[in-house]
Amino acid sequence: MVSAPPPPETSAKIQVQVRDLTIRYGSKVALEKVSLDIREHEIFGIIGPANSGKTSFLRALNRMDQMHSSMKVDGQILFRGKDVHSWRNLYALRSKIGVVFPLPVGLPLSIYDNVALAPRLSGTKNKSDLDEIVERCLQRAALWDEVKDRLDSLGSMLSGGQQQRLTIARALSQDPELLLLDEFSIAVDPVTTMKIEDVLKELKKEITIILVTNLVQQARRLADNTAFFLTGECIEVAKTEDLFTGEVKDPRSRDYVEGRFG
Amino acid sequence: MNAPPTHSHDPPEGENLDQLNLAWYVDKVVQWLVFFGGISAIIFIIGIFVFIASQGLGYAVKELDLGEFFFSPLWRPTSEANPTYGALALIAGTASVAGFAMLIAVPFSLGAAIFIAEFATGRTREILKVLVELLAAIPSVVWGFIGLSIMNPLIINTFDVPIGLNILNAGLILGLMAAPIMTTIAEDALKAVPDGYREAAEAMGATRWQVVWRVVLPAGKNGLVAAVLLGVGRAFGETMAVLMATGHSVHIPTSVFDSVRALTATIAAELGETPVGSDHYKVLFTLGIFLFLVTFLINLTADLVVRGKRRNA
């Protein structure tokens, strides 16, 4: 506790404010009455076993309930002070919130076009600007060195781990303010995972990151604050250090991070 | 954690980001255009149904003896003294030809689809696919011509029967016509089965055929059923080839060498010579309604089956 960094929440502004968020799929409740705050320039970790509602939480944030007719969202999610459900221009909202899904989705375009897609959609036409964005994003996703000589080949032909890094590069290409990472390292080797983790620590200076992960230690390495979800309930939101040193309100949180939890 | 927002802007900051830009407007316009495109298709279909119904439905419900229509084999629409409109023989003709066609087409097309999708590789597969698609493009009048001028003498000589224009002839022709389209759809259904399934099964030491039989066919089952049903719909609706190859004689068949007459062929052959508005004219439209309902039900079933596949997937 002595070496813990100064708590960021005292200084930083709230980026995302969640109040009484309840998510249902049909009659099944995936998430119940979750309230939490996510501050600017923090990495906010969400841990919890399968079926705890972590992914549903991210989906609701990016308004992906639009695509799942059975998904029903109640409660408030304020992004920059405005409830995401009251946004008229959903596309503008999504362009501010980047998402990386657990399984890589290399679009059937060239590597270059995969990364240049979002900037082009929002009107960047200048070739040298695009070149610069593509290189910067691929660098950040630790993929540049492997693909810089074949930017014209198909993104969907890369290996799984490379596609995942391409997905991350693509998510960064539109300069999101908020980056949602859902189990990003599931298809990536440990060395590359560490590289990307370093990138995330750098990125934190510019954007806010929500990191959903099954790897408890990954949350410990990266997250400033961490929430523990269990079967649709938010059991605990705490400073990550507190969670791992056992200073928790609920004993289940300690059991989970210490791996004593089936 | 439940504290009120510490930074309560008015209006909130997010308000500035939530602007309706050009892309948003383009999106809305395109959505409307596509909506009208979709609606127009529905309007046309409803229009066609309303037209057919307006010509035949009122008559069919009020004046036509439906008992006679469905159960009498006597089709004598042009009789001066006592016209009868029994469609049983026509229905039997269509059903027997379509049924025979399916006996031919189902095994051939499913076999072809399995071969192309699961066993053929490289060149063989590409050539086969092109040939099957080419087969689907042959006009039905050409098939009818083949039935009339090639199959007819062939059947007479081979089976020693007086006439070669019969269920066997039309069924074969129709089966060959329906097979390519069924093959194409069935192959698509098999292609849609993820390769991961095949790899997982082969990794356990399953043979190619075991993989196909135990994994691929069950996974693609709904698509295959849909392919067969669409083939049945095609066989029911086909007109020109059956007009030319069935012999066109009103008759309840007792063997595959009997000539029959199909519903579609009857409409095609008689409508042009029937006074508009006469009973005969309206009965032909009633036949049309019946055909429409049958093919509609078949297509609806196929659609529901495919939807079932999506739900389970």
Side-chain angles (χ1 to χ4, degrees):
Chain A
M1 268 314 286
V2 190
S3 61
E9 63 263 38
T10 49
S11 53
K13 209 159 83 175
I14 294 175
Q15 174 95 335
V16 179
Q17 191 173 42
V18 178
R19 289 290 173 272
D20 290 332
L21 178 66
T22 298
I23 301 174
R24 292 187 193 84
Y25 296 95
S27 58
K28 186 180 164 285
V29 177
L31 205 62
E32 187 148 32
K33 295 254 176 210
V34 169
S35 298
L36 46 84
D37 290 340
I38 295 160
R39 312 243 160 202
E40 273 185 354
H41 304 303
E42 77 167 321
I43 296 182
F44 188 90
I46 300 178
I47 57 172
N51 260 326
S52 57
K54 309 183 299 273
T55 299
S56 297
F57 180 77
L58 293 191
R59 278 192 191 154
L61 250 172
N62 201 25
R63 287 295 314 279
M64 269 182 284
D65 49 314
Q66 285 272 312
M67 299 177 205
H68 301 263
S69 53
S70 68
M71 180 172 170
K72 208 178 161 306
V73 179
D74 288 310
Q76 274 192 318
I77 305 173
L78 304 180
F79 174 67
R80 297 260 233 122
K82 186 170 162 71
D83 191 338
V84 294
H85 282 92
S86 71
W87 279 60
R88 294 171 302 163
N89 191 345
L90 197 53
Y91 315 107
L93 173 73
R94 293 213 181 112
S95 72
K96 296 286 166 206
I97 304 179
V99 195
V100 175
F101 299 100
L103 292 179
V105 186
L107 295 174
L109 305 168
S110 74
I111 294 172
Y112 185 97
D113 289 342
N114 258 283
V115 184
L117 180 64
R120 278 189 180 132
L121 291 182
S122 54
T124 310
K125 290 201 182 70
N126 190 313
K127 178 84 171 93
S128 61
D129 287 350
L130 287 174
D131 287 349
E132 192 269 319
I133 293 172
V134 169
E135 180 173 347
R136 176 165 48 89
C137 295
L138 287 172
Q139 291 271 20
R140 282 181 160 180
L143 186 61
W144 175 252
D145 291 336
E146 287 164 54
V147 300
K148 64 182 174 206
D149 298 323
R150 48 175 177 137
L151 291 173
D152 289 335
S153 56
L154 270 180
S156 43
M157 303 297 282
L158 293 170
S159 78
Q162 288 173 325
Q163 282 197 46
Q164 186 63 313
R165 282 178 279 157
L166 180 62
T167 311
I168 293 172
R170 208 174 50 210
L172 295 175
S173 68
Q174 56 189 352
D175 284 326
E177 294 180 14
L178 180 62
L179 183 62
L180 313 180
L181 297 170
D182 191 0
E183 307 278 5
F184 77 90
S185 57
I186 214 165
V188 184
D189 68 89
V191 177
T192 311
T193 302
M194 296 314 287
K195 278 191 211 160
I196 298 174
E197 286 189 9
D198 289 340
V199 171
L200 295 179
K201 285 180 209 155
E202 280 299 305
L203 274 175
K204 191 172 86 159
K205 292 172 189 158
E206 296 158 43
I207 65 178
T208 310
I209 297 170
I210 301 180
L211 173 78
V212 164
T213 179
N214 270 331
L215 306 173
V216 172
Q217 290 307 320
Q218 186 170 60
R220 181 174 203 174
R221 286 193 296 268
L222 294 176
D224 301 293
N225 290 292
T226 297
F228 171 52
F229 284 15
L230 181 66
T231 56
E233 252 185 287
C234 180
I235 302 290
E236 185 110 27
V237 183
K239 274 196 285 179
T240 305
E241 262 324 296
D242 292 350
L243 201 59
F244 281 90
T245 49
E247 288 189 29
V248 291
K249 290 182 225 109
D250 194 304
R252 285 175 292 180
S253 312
R254 189 172 47 231
D255 288 352
Y256 185 72
V257 299
E258 288 174 7
R260 271 187 271 133
F261 209 84
Chain B
M1 270 292 135
N2 275 315
T6 44
H7 296 263
S8 52
H9 296 272
D10 199 27
E13 231 182 322
E15 210 68 65
N16 303 325
L17 294 172
D18 184 19
Q19 298 300 331
L20 302 184
N21 50 13
L22 181 65
W24 189 88
Y25 284 109
V26 170
D27 185 66
K28 276 279 170 283
V29 170
V30 171
Q31 279 190 24
W32 276 104
L33 287 177
V34 174
F35 173 75
F36 281 120
I39 284 289
S40 69
I42 296 172
I43 289 173
F44 283 130
I45 289 171
I46 292 176
I48 290 171
F49 185 76
V50 165
F51 171 70
I52 297 177
S54 73
Q55 298 296 310
L57 195 61
Y59 174 80
V61 173
K62 286 196 205 104
E63 294 171 53
L64 182 66
D65 180 351
L66 283 175
E68 179 189 83
F69 182 78
F70 282 115
F71 298 111
S72 160
L74 296 176
W75 180 256
R76 288 201 210 103
T78 50
S79 162
E80 293 275 332
N82 182 26
T84 55
Y85 303 112
L88 182 64
L90 309 180
I91 296 169
T94 287
S96 58
V97 172
F100 193 86
M102 286 304 114
L103 285 182
I104 308 288
V106 170
F108 271 104
S109 59
L110 293 189
I114 291 173
F115 181 72
I116 293 174
E118 303 297 325
F119 292 96
T121 50
R123 256 206 134 84
T124 323
R125 165 195 239 143
E126 292 313 311
I127 292 171
L128 269 174
K129 283 181 76 163
V130 170
L131 284 181
V132 167
E133 271 153 33
L134 216 65
L135 218 54
I138 297 175
S140 62
V141 67
V142 173
W143 286 107
F145 181 76
I146 292 172
L148 206 56
S149 62
I150 298 175
M151 301 278 285
N152 184 22
L154 201 65
I155 289 173
I156 292 176
N157 293 332
T158 314
F159 297 101
D160 195 24
V161 288
I163 182 157
L165 299 174
N166 47 30
I167 295 176
L168 177 64
N169 188 338
L172 279 170
I173 293 289
L174 209 50
L176 292 176
M177 281 181 71
I181 198 109
M182 288 165 65
T183 305
T184 308
I185 297 172
E187 193 220 328
D188 284 345
L190 297 179
K191 283 277 105 187
V193 175
D195 273 339
Y197 290 11
R198 294 183 185 85
E199 287 169 11
E202 284 191 24
M204 295 187 300
T207 64
R208 289 298 281 284
W209 173 243
Q210 286 168 333
V211 172
V212 170
W213 184 247
R214 301 259 175 195
V215 177
V216 178
L217 289 185
K221 186 184 69 202
N222 292 333
L224 298 179
V225 172
V228 170
L229 286 175
L230 287 174
V232 173
R234 172 112 167 88
F236 259 83
E238 171 51 37
T239 306
M240 188 46 80
V242 291
L243 176 62
M244 293 167 81
T246 50
H248 206 54
S249 82
V250 181
H251 182 68
I252 293 203
T254 52
S255 93
V256 292
F257 297 112
D258 283 351
S259 292
V260 292
R261 190 198 272 204
L263 288 162
T264 50
T266 304
I267 298 174
E270 295 180 5
L271 191 61
E273 292 155 21
T274 312
V276 174
S278 66
D279 282 0
H280 185 190
Y281 176 88
K282 287 174 184 164
V283 171
L284 289 179
F285 270 95
T286 308
L287 290 182
I289 294 172
F290 178 69
L291 260 177
F292 185 92
L293 285 179
V294 171
T295 43
F296 178 75
L297 282 178
I298 291 170
N299 281 317
L300 186 70
T301 314
D303 194 51
L304 290 177
V305 169
V306 174
R307 270 169 207 280
K309 174 178 90 179
R310 291 210 194 103
R311 229 196 347 264
N312 296 337

